[in-house]
Amino acid sequence: VKDALGRVQAVLVLGGGSDIARATLHRLLDDGPLTAILAAREPERLETEDLTARGATVACVAFDAAEPATHAGVIESAFANGDVDVVLVAFGVLGSQTELEADPDALVELVRTNVVGGYSALAHSVARLRTQGHGTVVLLSSIAGRRARRSNYAYGSTKAAVDELAQGIQLSLAGESVRLIIVRPGFVHSKMTEGLRPAPFATTPADVAEAIVRSLRENVSVVWVPPVLRAVSAVLRMLPTRALQRL
Ligand SMILES: NC(=O)c1ccc[n+]([C@@H]2O[C@H](COP(=O)([O-])OP(=O)(O)OC[C@H]3O[C@@H](n4cnc5c(N)ncnc54)[C@H](OP(=O)(O)O)[C@@H]3O)[C@@H](O)[C@H]2O)c1
């Protein structure tokens, strides 16, 4: 449960190895002690010393986004030792657009992880927080889901699907004490984008973490990182396809 000052005390990270998630945990640790349950495909390979050295209590559990039948059990187990204040849905695969165009099976795999996994993780997390009676789901969505772009439209389409579901869940949560925050970063320097040419307005995991922690304190439902991307995205959405093809 959040403490008397409203500080987050326990976080479940689905996609426990994510750089953005790690930065978020560090930013939360700036404010006080924390329990972090890191759910990842290879939990034994997760490094935790940087967190425990700062006073965090850390547990690592096995979780594969592409195996939705296991999600309810994994999420339930995270609540075994007490309340969870925040579920951070941080897993995702970018893939190579060129390879995905050449390999329909790889495209389906991407959908299995990002979309099927994303829907399942969101639905189970919200359901479990409703049972608990409070808590916040933070979804790492992306500007890539707001308008198809030549360089990453396969990934973008998967983020669009989950973002749309999340918007609907937000409507369904009106008046309840469970929240869902949609975070839409642009290009973030992380493992996912290693070796890629940064897009305009590129940010760092620490920038996204700061925005996430601020959104947990404020009554916001959608967060753009950096904020200017809200306007950039609005313009992109209005551009005719022919203009986008020339970009
Ligand atoms: N970086 C960006 O530019 C950017 C921009 C906007 C949104 N986002 C979103 O932010 C989130 C975090 O990304 P990041 O930048 O922190 O990248 P990251 O460090 O590469 O984190 C992505 C995580 O997803 C995990 N993952 C992939 N497939 C999985 C599966 N089947 N089951 C469980 N975990 C799986 C990876 O785990 P493994 O270690 O097992 O591979 C990795 O830890 C993602 O949803 C991403 O789409 C990123």
Side-chain angles (χ1 to χ4, degrees), residues 15-21 40-42 63-66 89-93 113 140-143 155 159 185-193:
S18 144
D19 287 345
I20 295 175
R41 280 189 287 198
E42 297 181 289
F63 167 77
D64 188 342
V89 181
F91 61 81
V93 176
T113 299
L140 283 170
S141 181
S142 173
I143 190 174
Y155 167 77
K159 299 306 272 189
F187 186 104
V188 185
H189 291 278
S190 73
K191 283 196 298 295
M192 181 173 275
T193 55

Side-chain angles (χ1 to χ4, degrees), residues 3-209:
D3 69 9
L5 297 174
R7 280 189 297 242
V8 171
Q9 312 226 72
V11 179
L12 165 62
V13 181
L14 300 176
S18 144
D19 287 345
I20 295 175
R22 186 56 59 109
T24 305
L25 295 174
H26 276 287
R27 176 61 192 80
L28 287 168
L29 280 164
D30 292 343
D31 295 342
L34 191 71
T35 295
I37 302 126
L38 307 179
R41 280 189 287 198
E42 297 181 289
E44 65 287 348
R45 294 187 59 178
L46 289 174
E47 285 171 20
T48 56
E49 295 78 27
D50 57 316
L51 298 170
T52 50
R54 297 194 59 201
T57 304
V58 182
C60 299
V61 299
F63 167 77
D64 188 342
E67 299 291 342
T70 63
H71 290 184
V74 174
I75 291 170
E76 186 59 42
S77 72
F79 287 70
N81 293 320
D83 284 4
V84 172
D85 302 313
V86 173
V87 181
L88 178 54
V89 181
F91 61 81
V93 176
L94 174 60
S96 146
Q97 182 58 47
T98 315
E99 286 170 24
L100 290 163
E101 275 171 27
D103 183 355
D105 293 336
L107 182 65
V108 171
E109 276 310 307
L110 184 81
V111 170
R112 204 184 305 284
T113 299
N114 290 2
V115 182
V116 179
Y119 273 48
S120 170
L122 274 186
H124 283 294
S125 301
V126 168
R128 190 59 187 82
L129 290 181
R130 272 183 161 141
T131 303
Q132 178 179 262
H134 66 92
T136 304
V137 177
V138 176
L139 170 70
L140 283 170
S141 181
S142 173
I143 190 174
R146 303 303 288 167
R147 183 76 200 262
R149 277 173 294 166
R150 180 70 188 91
S151 59
N152 65 359
Y153 66 83
Y155 167 77
S157 68
T158 66
K159 299 306 272 189
V162 180
D163 191 298
E164 201 73 21
L165 178 76
Q167 292 175 52
I169 293 175
Q170 286 181 327
L171 298 178
S172 80
L173 288 172
E176 295 188 36
S177 47
V178 173
R179 287 176 69 199
L180 192 161
I181 301 171
I182 301 173
V183 182
R184 296 183 186 143
F187 186 104
V188 185
H189 291 278
S190 73
K191 283 196 298 295
M192 181 173 275
T193 55
E194 222 170 294
L196 300 180
R197 193 158 53 92
F201 308 111
T203 55
T204 64
D207 293 327
V208 182

